[in-house]
Amino acid sequence: MVTKSFSIQFDEYDCLDDLATQDKNLLYKAIEATNSSYAPYSNFNVGAALLLDNNEIITASNQENIAYPSGLCAERVAIFYANSKFPTSKIITIAIVASVNGSICDMPTYPCGACRQVMAEAESRSSERIKYIIGGKKRVQIMYGTESLLPFIFDSLPK
Ligand code: THU
């Protein structure tokens, strides 16, 4: 038996405005997208913005439904839309942010497990690491590669 371990690295900023211009702009697009969130059940408004390799920016927000599991997170709305509109494009960067009662949350809002699985597949389709900008007003974290968010991914079916 061997005990193994791994670590992840990420960049952390105390203020959203300290980010590099392109990253800051994408995060602000995600903030803007929180305005289109339909979240009457959780009142938690999430926005996602994707930068694609064709320079398109796709924004989306969470969309809820009275049959709760029928709703979808902002990240998956954005990724599935990007994949259907630009099926051959790669996702370069994903910015995520959330707001409550019109105020951006102070701390980062991390993607749920199901979104991480979808992100992992988006990354494997593109063969490039996706950059993640996970934002809050008082803390922004930048991660490189889905493995930082989801190690030991489910990625193969038995033959
Ligand atoms: N949600 C997202 O849109 N993205 C996340 O990363 C976490 C959660 C949504 C789902 C639901 O509409 C609401 O936030 C509360 O869970």
Side-chain angles (χ1 to χ4, degrees), residues 41-93:
Y41 306 104
S42 69
N43 293 311
F44 191 63
N45 305 114
V46 185
L50 316 186
L51 171 67
L52 308 186
D53 67 347
N54 60 3
N55 282 325
E56 289 281 342
I57 290 177
I58 305 292
T59 61
S61 55
N62 56 328
Q63 300 296 317
E64 297 186 348
N65 186 273
I66 194 162
Y68 295 166
S70 303
L72 203 60
C73 294
E75 297 91 322
R76 273 177 291 162
V77 176
I79 294 170
F80 290 148
Y81 179 78
N83 288 345
S84 29
K85 188 110 201 274
F86 302 107
T88 58
S89 288
K90 298 175 179 180
I91 299 172
I92 306 291
T93 310

Side-chain angles (χ1 to χ4, degrees), residues 2-8 113 116-117 120-121 123 145-156:
V2 282
T3 302
K4 298 183 174 181
S5 68
F6 62 88
S7 61
I8 63 161
R116 294 176 195 214
Q117 180 71 32
E121 192 149 332
E123 189 173 83
T146 312
E147 208 184 19
S148 301
L149 287 162
L150 185 68
F152 303 117
I153 186 196
F154 173 64
D155 63 356
S156 64

Side-chain angles (χ1 to χ4, degrees), residues 107-128:
M107 292 295 139
T109 293
Y110 299 105
C112 76
C115 286
R116 294 176 195 214
Q117 180 71 32
V118 169
M119 290 161 168
E121 192 149 332
E123 189 173 83
S124 73
R125 282 173 72 170
S126 101
S127 71
E128 307 259 340

